Amino acid sequence: MARIIVVTSGKGGVGKTTTSAAFSTGLAKAGHKTVVIDFDVGLRNLDLIMGCERRVVYDFVNVINGEANLGQTLIKDKRIDNLFILPASQTRDKDALTLEGVGKVLEELSQEFDYIVCDSPAGIERGALLAAYYADEAIVVTNPEVSSVRDSDRVLGILSSKTRRAEKGEEPIKEHLLLTRYSPARVQKGEMLSVEDVGEILAIDLLGVIPESKSVLNASNAGVPVILDQQSDAGQAYEDAVARFLGEQRPHRFLSEKKGFLGRLFGS
Amino acid sequence: MLTLSVLHLLSSDMDRLAAHLDAKLASAPEFFRGLPVLIDFEVMAGQAVDMAALKDMLVARKLMPVGVRGVDEAQRAAAEEVGLGLLAGGSPIARREEPSQSTKPAAGAAMIVRHPVRSGQQVYARGGDLVVLSSVSPGAEVLADGHVHVYGPLRGRALAGVQGDTEARIFCQSLNAELIAIAGNYRVSEHIREEERGHPVQIFLDGDSLRIETL
Ligand SMILES: Nc1ncnc2c1ncn2[C@@H]1O[C@H](COP(=O)(O)OP(=O)(O)OP(=O)(O)O)[C@@H](O)[C@H]1O
Ligand SMILES: [Mg+2]
């Protein structure tokens, strides 16, 4: 049976898709058979970030409607063994997904895979709820600013009340905080909340802090998940986060400003 | 300090009432959001009121009807039908019987919440006390007919004595609330003093003024 992980946030544009791509790649690289599903029907972009947009034939909605089977629809990643992508439909609207249909597809994938990563759409409406409903674990992607933290808090409330585990009275969804687009320099200037501030408000386990980094945009333009850019700070931070998710203890890095050569020279 | 929780019903015409309310709510939608209201039927004696429609209309406007007062027998029955209890005070008919033995809620009457109350969530302990062992987030709301205790940081809205019990109190470890209220007497965050913020306090009514006392 697979573990189902939802990557969610409430607020849009905080880094869910970037995280879904990095995480699924990292899990597969660690030897776990992983599928990543794009739940953002109508706005698909996971396939772009994974660099497989030119190989999409069928999509998630086709599978739910019985127009294609999973074997025809799953796209095998070219770089990493064990990694598959289930793309979203670009042409349908979000009502094409049903709770029952999603449940069936996840059930079938569960037989095959170790991890199912669900890339949630923004918001707290139906689409986001469908992505989270069957989850065993949640990665709550949050930016260090008040509105993002507030939305994450709201999502945490939904995870603990409106999901399958909550409705069945089972053990609650395991919640992880991933703080992304973190800029220590801006935290220092008081323009952003610090890790401590966010941690104190949300009060859940901190899985990782991903720094604000140009490498993320470069990676997504190239269609390569940033975790594969091992030179980059964001890539390394994602790698740490995946390792922690898999039970390893690793210290948090990238929490303070790195000093450039001149900075060090002048002791500033 | 504000006491805005009583809605005096002057007509049974839902459309008129809705229009009236909308005009009022438009002035400060955020303030009224989730506000518990007591509906006063004093001047409506003998008139039929569609309770279900009235309740739905209030709920649709994000108000929280919690009870009625000044109702006649028929109105009282109709109110109970839709889950609105009768509140003692200002009532032309017999008061609801108070538990005679003791004013303390029976053991077990308190509702205990162990998890954080998150933004957008509301927890209401009807008929007793509420004990929150975790935090109350900004945008969350905790209410009780009796006392409210919050052992994590209180950053949302806390309302004690929402059915009008003026003896109810709020106890918290760290006061950072958006709004506190006891029996309809409100104070918003802006009017909580700096020296009371972030401290363990109790909040109670002294006459009709709300007092915050550090513990
Ligand atoms: N650590 C980071 N550093 C710099 N830019 C980032 C970082 N993480 C994400 N971004 C950028 O932020 C934008 C939004 O990222 P992404 O698409 O992953 O967010 P999302 O939460 O999936 O958005 P949506 O809610 O629209 O689905 C992209 O342009 C991405 O390149
Ligand atoms: Mg996205």
Side-chain angles (χ1 to χ4, degrees), chain A residues 19 21 63 154 264:
Chain A
T19 299
V63 179
R154 188 132 195 190
R264 249 180 287 143

Side-chain angles (χ1 to χ4, degrees), chain A residues 64 98-108 134:
Chain A
I64 285 183
T98 61
L99 194 59
E100 203 198 350
V102 170
K104 270 196 192 140
V105 174
L106 292 179
E107 178 70 41
E108 198 179 332
Y134 295 98

Side-chain angles (χ1 to χ4, degrees), chain A residues 150 153-158 160-161 175 200-204, chain B residues 115-121 135 137-140 153 155 178:
Chain A
R150 176 76 68 103
D153 191 67
R154 188 132 195 190
V155 160
L156 286 164
I158 289 168
S160 65
S161 62
E175 302 156 341
E200 205 208 318
I201 296 174
L202 295 179
I204 57 171
Chain B
H115 54 79
V117 184
R118 304 282 186 183
S119 176
Q121 293 185 318
S135 56
S137 293
R155 302 190 176 102
E178 293 171 323

Side-chain angles (χ1 to χ4, degrees), chain B residues 14-134:
Chain B
M14 288 300 148
D15 292 337
R16 263 187 67 194
L17 196 56
H20 228 87
L21 257 179
D22 287 338
K24 178 96 188 153
L25 299 187
S27 64
E30 268 311 299
F31 177 77
F32 290 105
R33 192 183 59 78
L35 191 74
V37 290
L38 174 63
I39 313 162
D40 186 311
F41 287 77
E42 200 85 64
V43 302
M44 296 292 293
Q47 295 193 46
V49 176
D50 183 345
M51 274 316 155
L54 176 60
K55 188 179 172 189
D56 289 348
M57 199 262 295
L58 295 175
V59 169
R61 283 163 180 76
K62 305 273 189 289
L63 293 172
M64 206 181 60
V66 292
V68 295
R69 74 177 187 197
V71 286
D72 61 28
E73 270 311 325
Q75 290 164 348
R76 174 191 174 148
E80 273 175 4
E81 194 104 302
V82 299
L84 293 174
L86 174 66
L87 217 88
S91 163
I93 56 158
R95 284 165 173 253
R96 185 171 57 173
E97 262 153 62
E98 293 295 325
S100 50
Q101 325 81 307
S102 158
T103 53
K104 278 186 293 185
M111 177 173 170
I112 298 178
V113 174
R114 290 165 208 282
H115 54 79
V117 184
R118 304 282 186 183
S119 176
Q121 293 185 318
Q122 189 181 60
V123 176
Y124 177 25
R126 197 183 287 274
D129 296 350
L130 176 64
V131 180
V132 180
L133 297 177
S134 187

